[in-house]
Amino acid sequence: ISLISSFLVRKVAKLCALTLCNLSMQVNGEATMAKEGAILALVVLLGIKGQSLLPICVQALYNMTSACDHFKGIERIIKALLNMSAVGFDYSDFLVKALVNCARYSWLRLRIIEDGGIGSLHALLPNLSSLENRSELVFNMLTALRSLSESSGCRAEMLLKGSVELLNSLLVYSDEKDKLLIIKI
């Protein structure tokens, strides 16, 4: 009976994750989803062990950061992505794009830094040279850093968190448009 019960839990969890992911693609539905508890549901689903739910939940969380306007709870999405440990799944592309999406809100920038945004970008460096999407990833990392640097209150924190070292490391992988972003930062 416990085997059947375990199977049903996995099946229901996967269906829930897929449903939330599909709903996250609804235009302007992000605020409603956040209000109805979708962020917490996705975070809980992320915690289910032995599931292939991680890619589905990460996609849904990222989709929700693509909102045209900010909504209550968006800061919990970025915190969940920054504090997640993905085993067997490279979610760096989703993480960096979510950082780009969330860093456009001035009120969220310092929180991103405090929650570990710069450290998460540093953590991507060791594997960067082996990634196929390296160019896009570097551009998005620099775009996020550029947005963060637009708030004067964030600049000192960025320096304390090692953004200069991060920029130096990214310089190796940068093309001309990336170097222009580095100069602006």
Side-chain angles (χ1 to χ4, degrees):
I1 291 181
S2 71
L3 184 62
I4 293 171
S5 174
S6 177
F7 172 76
L8 288 175
V9 167
R10 288 193 307 266
K11 187 73 170 169
V12 169
K14 186 171 184 175
L15 290 172
C16 288
L18 287 168
T19 299
L20 289 170
C21 189
N22 287 334
L23 289 172
S24 73
M25 291 183 249
Q26 175 63 38
V27 176
N28 297 325
E30 300 86 358
T32 303
M33 287 185 69
K35 184 178 165 188
E36 296 296 324
I39 298 167
L40 178 60
L42 287 163
V43 170
V44 169
L45 289 169
L46 280 171
I48 295 178
K49 303 269 186 245
Q51 299 299 313
S52 58
L53 302 181
L54 192 61
I56 300 166
C57 294
V58 168
Q59 176 73 57
L61 288 168
Y62 162 70
N63 289 347
M64 291 180 70
T65 68
S66 300
C68 294
D69 296 316
H70 75 276
F71 54 88
K72 186 176 180 177
I74 195 169
E75 69 278 359
R76 290 183 292 163
I77 294 172
I78 202 65
K79 186 170 186 146
L81 289 171
L82 288 171
N83 293 320
M84 186 174 65
S85 61
V87 178
F89 172 64
D90 178 18
Y91 75 106
S92 57
D93 192 43
F94 293 109
L95 171 65
V96 175
K97 286 179 180 178
L99 285 172
V100 169
N101 289 342
C102 291
R104 65 187 166 175
Y105 304 118
S106 59
W107 60 272
L108 189 51
R109 291 177 185 147
L110 188 56
R111 183 140 184 205
I112 289 169
I113 295 169
E114 290 171 346
D115 286 346
I118 305 285
S120 293
L121 295 177
H122 270 287
L124 299 177
L125 290 175
N127 298 324
L128 196 55
S129 63
S130 65
L131 297 175
E132 289 181 26
N133 63 336
R134 177 180 54 248
S135 297
E136 180 185 359
L137 205 54
V138 167
F139 179 76
N140 286 330
M141 291 169 76
L142 292 170
T143 301
L145 289 168
R146 172 67 179 124
S147 293
L148 293 174
S149 73
E150 287 180 6
S151 293
S152 61
C154 293
R155 294 180 193 134
E157 283 297 312
M158 289 178 70
L159 290 171
L160 289 172
K161 303 289 183 179
S163 61
V164 173
E165 295 84 3
L166 180 60
L167 290 172
N168 283 333
S169 298
L170 291 174
L171 194 56
V172 175
Y173 304 106
S174 297
D175 60 16
E176 292 305 312
K177 72 179 180 347
D178 296 338
K179 288 177 184 170
L180 287 174
L181 274 174
I182 291 172
I183 291 169
K184 290 178 182 178
I185 296 166

